[in-house]
Amino acid sequence: MKIVLLVPDGVAVRNYIYSDFVEELIKSGFEVVLYHQIPDAAITEIKKIKGSLLLDIVKISEFKEHFLGRILKESIVYARLLQNKKKLKNDTILQFWNRNQKGFKRLTLLRISEFFGYFLSKSYSMILKFETFYDQNVLRNSITTSIQKDLQKIQPDYILNLHQRALISAPVMNVAKQLSIPTGTVIFSWDNIPKARLVSKYDHYFVWSDLMKNELHLLYPEISLNQVFVTGTPQFEFYFKAHFLKSKADFFKKFGLDLNKKTICFSANDTSSPYEQHYFEDLCEALMKIEADERPQILFRKCPVDTTHRFDVVLERYKELVVSIAPDWRMPDDDNSFVYIYPSYDDYELLANTVLHSDVVINLGSTMAHDFAVFNKPCLYLNYDPVSNSIFKVKEVYQFQHFRSMNDLEAVGWINSKSDFIPKIEAALSNPESIGKDRQQWMQRIVNYPLQENSTHLAQAIKRCTSV
């Protein structure tokens, strides 16, 4: 049998293509074709790692969405967000509606979508009808002709989307339906379902956990529980690969870290979190109050898709305290859009050893809490507003729906003010179990265990779906 993997961006490469997932598909009897929208340089990297395993690699034509299509799509998103807010009894759901648009055309699109979306939200059946209208609009786009030719040439038995929010999903999946090709999608991340960005509907859905399965069915009642399979995600399995894990001595020597010091990893978020540089500076200021002989060092890891220079001043000011290890993600020279950023395979090694050899991680609500939980290491979540009159309220962040999964657990430690840095860090370093003692229990709610078997679980679930 032949399976097409729809690869719309670099994150799909990192989480699925670089994992053991392709190998497990082949073991399950599939021939694997990549159907992609990623840069040529990323394809070159993939070929070095997985090229001999792939039957073919096909590039998708550029998709330019019609203005009417965008209005339909965004109206549906706004309507679903209003519905999700009500169903989940969580006002922060509307934080996922981006009102910070610039330019007349974008603002016009926003206002029109809010107008129609408000009325759509009053009737779930109308939301479903508008989704049908959106699919029909997509099928009128000229790109569907080239996609149809591609799929008729490839002749796949199944198409799996590796990022359910990707815009290109809509034309590919709608053409697949016309050609009676079964389809499935993974859910990209643990916080995605309430965001109402499930662009298309599929025959099958592969999710991280029972928690996610139930949430998907609640917010999309037209999706039967029989269509949803709990498989976990392969994105943590590289932590269990011995060839990625280096000795602490070798890793520290390579990057100039002090082997005799405790190490704090500060993992930054993308620019949707606008005050990361202020948190980073607060941390550095606090650590400088500790005697030099006892002072921990900071290993700084920037968010891979943050292309700004907002940390540079702090990094220069505290260069005796901080070692910055940049993620090995790359961008084509002719395009500065984060959509086209892709990871090198070597970034697996950088991240794995960053987590393995750091003693604690500090961040604002990041998934890195789970990465550190793999090695049973504590996380400290930042929980204060670092600037006066902040337009970005931290108290709202931890009310997001995905954080309700830890409501009865001590999963992380909390830095509630600048004065908390030193005592919380000292506790985490001297007695790690005193901070977030339930961290692994929380992770087991979030993602299927054993983590190192999730590529196998996903491939086997797809095999079962195609054998029916």
Side-chain angles (χ1 to χ4, degrees):
M1 288 191 296
K2 192 181 296 182
I3 185 170
V4 163
L5 301 182
L6 178 59
V7 186
D9 58 19
V11 179
V13 174
R14 188 263 191 200
N15 289 351
Y16 291 89
I17 305 304
Y18 284 165
S19 75
D20 288 342
F21 180 48
V22 172
E23 286 88 339
E24 291 299 327
L25 284 172
I26 292 170
K27 288 179 185 177
S28 295
F30 289 100
E31 295 177 304
V32 181
V33 176
L34 299 192
Y35 197 38
H36 73 93
Q37 274 199 326
I38 56 179
D40 292 342
I43 293 299
T44 299
E45 184 82 359
I46 290 170
K47 285 180 177 178
K48 288 192 299 184
I49 309 302
K50 304 283 184 176
S52 63
L53 301 174
L54 302 172
L55 180 66
D56 201 0
I57 300 175
V58 181
K59 189 163 189 174
I60 309 173
S61 301
E62 184 179 359
F63 176 39
K64 294 183 178 180
E65 192 174 33
H66 299 153
F67 188 69
L68 175 59
R70 291 192 66 188
I71 290 175
L72 287 169
K73 181 185 69 183
E74 296 302 325
S75 297
I76 293 164
V77 168
Y78 191 66
R80 281 195 173 275
L81 288 174
L82 290 172
Q83 283 259 334
N84 294 353
K85 170 189 168 183
K86 183 178 180 181
K87 287 181 179 180
L88 297 169
K89 298 180 175 60
N90 190 336
D91 290 343
T92 67
I93 295 294
L94 286 182
Q95 295 292 323
F96 300 122
W97 180 249
N98 184 11
R99 289 189 169 91
N100 299 320
Q101 300 286 349
K102 295 179 181 179
F104 176 77
K105 188 173 182 179
R106 289 186 177 182
L107 284 171
T108 301
L109 172 69
L110 181 77
R111 300 306 175 204
I112 294 173
S113 301
E114 286 179 343
F115 176 80
F116 284 111
Y118 173 78
F119 289 102
L120 281 180
S121 70
K122 304 300 180 181
S123 168
Y124 195 79
S125 62
M126 283 302 299
I127 293 176
L128 296 179
K129 287 181 180 178
F130 262 64
E131 288 179 338
T132 300
F133 296 155
Y134 173 67
D135 288 343
Q136 292 169 348
N137 178 268
V138 168
L139 285 171
R140 289 193 288 271
N141 193 291
S142 60
I143 194 177
T144 57
T145 301
S146 64
I147 291 173
Q148 184 170 0
K149 289 179 180 177
D150 288 340
L151 296 184
Q152 287 176 330
K153 182 178 180 181
I154 298 169
Q155 290 289 304
D157 298 287
Y158 198 83
I159 300 177
L160 180 71
N161 183 11
L162 297 182
H163 195 325
Q164 89 288 343
R165 295 179 61 180
L167 182 62
I168 192 60
S169 305
V172 173
M173 296 306 155
N174 277 290
V175 171
K177 289 174 188 175
Q178 284 194 324
L179 298 176
S180 300
I181 303 169
T183 62
T185 189
V186 298
I187 300 299
F188 162 66
S189 187
W190 64 307
D191 63 347
N192 274 188
I193 292 174
K195 294 180 180 179
R197 291 286 175 178
L198 189 62
V199 176
S200 300
K201 295 298 173 61
Y202 303 82
D203 297 302
H204 311 110
Y205 302 81
F206 305 97
V207 299
W208 287 31
S209 63
D210 286 316
L211 189 71
M212 189 181 283
K213 178 176 181 175
N214 293 330
E215 191 173 66
L216 182 65
H217 181 60
L218 171 67
L219 300 183
Y220 295 86
E222 68 276 18
I223 297 174
S224 165
L225 286 173
N226 293 330
Q227 294 176 266
V228 187
F229 300 83
V230 176
T231 61
T233 173
Q235 73 185 61
F236 299 104
E237 70 184 22
F238 67 96
Y239 288 119
F240 301 90
K241 303 292 186 183
H243 62 275
F244 289 124
L245 305 179
K246 306 302 179 184
S247 72
K248 187 172 183 177
D250 288 346
F251 182 67
F252 275 33
K253 181 179 179 180
K254 180 176 181 179
F255 291 101
L257 289 153
D258 189 336
L259 195 59
N260 298 311
K261 287 183 175 290
K262 294 287 188 178
T263 304
I264 299 165
C265 175
F266 183 91
S267 63
N269 287 306
D270 62 25
T271 54
S272 64
S273 176
Y275 303 126
E276 295 282 314
Q277 65 272 29
H278 298 284
Y279 286 121
F280 184 41
E281 186 167 25
D282 288 349
L283 170 62
C284 292
E285 286 182 359
L287 291 183
M288 291 303 290
K289 296 174 183 177
I290 300 174
E291 291 293 330
D293 290 344
E294 300 178 2
R295 184 185 304 145
Q297 61 194 335
I298 300 173
L299 192 166
F300 174 74
R301 181 174 167 93
K302 190 177 181 179
C303 176
V305 297
D306 182 356
T307 59
T308 70
H309 297 279
R310 56 182 174 153
F311 298 99
D312 289 359
V313 172
V314 184
L315 287 169
E316 177 61 27
R317 183 180 301 151
Y318 294 99
K319 57 187 176 183
E320 77 278 14
L321 175 66
V322 181
V323 173
S324 177
I325 302 180
D328 193 358
W329 287 56
R330 301 166 187 177
M331 180 184 294
D333 293 336
D334 58 347
D335 198 314
N336 62 359
S337 169
F338 77 88
V339 174
Y340 296 105
I341 295 176
Y342 66 94
S344 77
Y345 191 64
D346 291 339
D347 193 59
Y348 266 169
E349 181 178 311
L350 287 179
L351 181 55
N353 288 285
T354 293
V355 177
L356 177 63
H357 299 306
S358 296
D359 297 291
V360 59
V361 65
I362 297 177
N363 57 56
L364 178 64
S366 167
T367 310
M368 282 286 277
H370 300 315
D371 291 76
F372 271 70
V374 172
F375 294 115
N376 197 24
K377 296 188 177 186
C379 171
L380 293 169
Y381 270 170
L382 297 157
N383 191 33
Y384 68 96
D385 294 317
V387 299
S388 58
N389 301 316
S390 170
I391 60 172
F392 182 89
K393 302 298 183 184
V394 169
K395 68 178 182 180
E396 294 178 352
V397 171
Y398 296 111
Q399 293 172 13
F400 288 165
Q401 188 65 26
H402 55 290
F403 289 116
R404 289 186 175 183
S405 59
M406 65 167 170
N407 57 7
D408 59 336
L409 300 175
E410 293 181 35
V412 299
W414 299 94
I415 296 178
N416 297 315
S417 68
K418 291 171 66 172
S419 62
D420 277 349
F421 274 111
I422 292 179
K424 292 296 178 68
I425 288 171
E426 287 179 343
L429 296 179
S430 62
N431 184 14
E433 288 304 316
S434 69
I435 300 294
K437 63 182 178 64
D438 299 325
R439 50 185 170 265
Q440 290 188 314
Q441 188 178 343
W442 183 35
M443 192 176 183
Q444 288 172 25
R445 288 184 182 178
I446 298 298
V447 59
N448 191 52
Y449 267 60
L451 296 172
Q452 63 268 43
E453 296 179 10
N454 283 334
S455 281
T456 304
H457 294 154
L458 179 55
Q460 290 177 346
I462 294 169
K463 177 69 172 179
R464 291 194 298 272
C465 291
T466 56
S467 300
V468 174

